[in-house]
Amino acid sequence: DARVTQTPRHKVTEMGQEVTMRCQPILGHNTVFWYRQTMMQGLELLAYFRNRAPLDDSGMPKDRFSAEMPDATLATLKIQPSEPRDSAVYFCASGLVAFGNQPQYFGPGTRLLVL
Amino acid sequence: KQEVTQIPAALSVPEGENLVLNCSFTDSAIYNLQWFRQDPGKGLTSLLLIQSSQREQTSGRLNASLDKSSGRSTLYIAASQPGDSATYLCAVASTGAGNNRKLIWGLGTSLAVNP
C-alpha cells in the first residue's frame, strides 16, 4: 500500500527556531507538492517540484521558507526563522502529473505550532 | 481570479439520509474539478475527479456532477453512514499550460452523520 510519509507528525517550537519538515513521496511519482492548511485560509500551495526541479514556489515567503528535493525519495521544507504566524498543518502530496487529470496523494501532514 | 466556495460549512444528518454537498466557482474556464475527503488529523484522500468535458463521475455511493456554465458542482452521498463523517473539500484546476495551472481550494464542508 503505497503512501506519502511525512515527518515529524507534530512539532512545537519557539519563535526564531529553524524547522525542517520531510516528505517521502510515493515511489515512481515525479511531482511533489507542499501545501499549508489553516482554518482561515484553507489549503494554500507553497511550492511544487517535477523531476526534483522546482517549478513554482510563488506561494512561499522566500525570506524564510525554502523547499528542496535532494533526491527522488526525499523532499524538505524549511522555515528559518519560524514565526507564530507559521503555525499550521503542512501537507506534502505526490502525483504523476502537476494539476492534470490524475489525482494527488497526500501525506498525513506535519502539525506545526510556533510559540 | 478563480474563487471556490463551499456551502454549507457544516452539516449534520441522521444515518441513512441522502445528502448533497455544494461547490461553486467563479470562473467557468476550468481544467477539472476534484472532490477530496479529509479525516481529522489526517491527510486528504481523492474521491472523484471530473474532467472539464465530463458531466459527472460515480464511485460507489458517491456521485459528483459538474455544470461549468453555472459554475457549480455537487457531491451526492447516498444512504449516508457514520463512517462518512469527515470534511469534504472541492478543488478546481484552472486552465493554462504547464506552470500556469493551479488547484484552487474551497474551505470544505464538515459533515457529521449521526447513528
Side-chain angles (χ1 to χ4, degrees):
Chain A
D1 185 21
R3 298 184 184 184
V4 176
T5 59
Q6 291 186 247
T7 57
R9 293 292 311 277
H10 303 272
K11 176 74 175 179
V12 180
T13 191
E14 293 187 346
M15 181 174 61
Q17 296 297 305
E18 177 178 302
V19 175
T20 298
M21 291 169 271
R22 295 177 174 81
C23 167
Q24 182 173 5
I26 292 174
L27 189 64
H29 284 184
N30 59 8
T31 310
V32 175
F33 309 82
W34 282 106
Y35 288 94
R36 176 171 62 185
Q37 186 179 39
T38 61
M39 290 290 290
M40 294 301 295
Q41 300 293 331
L43 267 167
E44 302 172 280
L45 178 67
L46 297 175
Y48 71 98
F49 295 75
R50 182 170 178 82
N51 295 324
R52 297 174 55 199
L55 290 191
D56 187 352
D57 60 2
S58 59
M60 286 199 316
K62 302 231 182 13
D63 57 336
R64 300 184 299 109
F65 284 60
S66 62
E68 295 179 344
M69 277 201 76
D71 60 62
T73 65
L74 177 64
T76 63
L77 179 66
K78 290 186 180 181
I79 308 174
Q80 169 62 19
S82 58
E83 298 181 0
R85 59 179 168 156
D86 300 328
S87 298
V89 182
Y90 292 81
F91 288 105
C92 173
S94 71
L96 294 173
V97 296
F99 310 121
N101 287 324
Q102 294 288 335
Q104 298 178 20
Y105 295 84
F106 281 72
T110 294
R111 187 174 297 272
L112 174 65
L113 177 61
V114 183
L115 302 175
Chain B
K1 179 185 174 185
Q2 180 73 274
E3 293 182 2
V4 179
T5 304
Q6 292 186 247
I7 295 174
L11 183 63
S12 180
V13 300
E15 181 177 4
E17 267 201 15
N18 301 324
L19 55 98
V20 174
L21 306 181
N22 297 295
C23 172
S24 61
F25 46 95
T26 55
D27 187 345
S28 61
I30 66 171
Y31 188 74
N32 64 43
L33 184 144
Q34 303 178 48
W35 284 93
F36 289 82
R37 168 184 173 141
Q38 184 173 22
D39 292 280
K42 297 188 178 181
L44 284 72
T45 302
S46 178
L47 296 174
L48 291 165
L49 185 153
I50 311 176
Q51 299 179 33
S52 62
S53 59
Q54 298 173 326
R55 294 300 300 266
E56 65 178 347
Q57 282 286 338
T58 299
S59 176
R61 294 182 293 108
L62 305 180
N63 175 274
S65 67
L66 174 64
D67 183 343
K68 284 196 305 179
S69 60
S70 66
R72 292 181 181 178
S73 175
T74 60
L75 179 65
Y76 176 82
I77 303 177
S80 59
Q81 303 170 358
D84 295 329
S85 299
T87 297
Y88 291 81
L89 291 102
C90 167
V92 170
S94 60
T95 54
N99 303 347
N100 293 321
R101 189 176 297 157
K102 305 287 185 187
L103 262 187
I104 311 300
W105 296 83
L107 291 180
T109 293
S110 177
L111 172 66
V113 180
N114 305 306

